[in-house]
Amino acid sequence: MSWGDVLLIAGGFGAGFLSGTIGIGGGLLFVPTMTVGFRISQAVAQGTSLVAIVPTAIVGGITHIREGNVLGSGAAFWCSAPTAFSCKVSKRLPERLRSLTASGCSA
């Protein structure tokens, strides 16, 4: 294990701590750390963030549906439409700008 690995692990713990205490997404902090600080490609940084969040989001979504906290099918539109729009916009941005804004959909 190298010092770079130790720093990435510490960054992950830091992002997790901040996301849990102040309610922001950990990817908001960790993706730019990986791309700018460690020169990891945007696609790998976002893929790593997605691998961490997808299982949690699925379980959370199912739990909210079971608890009756989701207001019908309109929720699917209001969650997916902004995502699709931001992906379209970010694909037109240069790679360097996408890594600084942490909003690129690199696929």
Side-chain angles (χ1 to χ4, degrees), residues 17-18 29 37 41 44 62 71 83 86:
F17 175 77
L18 287 174
L29 300 172
S41 74
V44 171
I62 291 169
L71 300 175
T83 302
S86 64

Side-chain angles (χ1 to χ4, degrees), residues 53-75:
I53 193 62
V54 167
T56 308
I58 290 170
V59 171
I62 291 169
T63 301
H64 279 291
I65 289 169
R66 285 185 181 165
E67 294 291 323
N69 297 330
V70 178
L71 300 175
S73 62

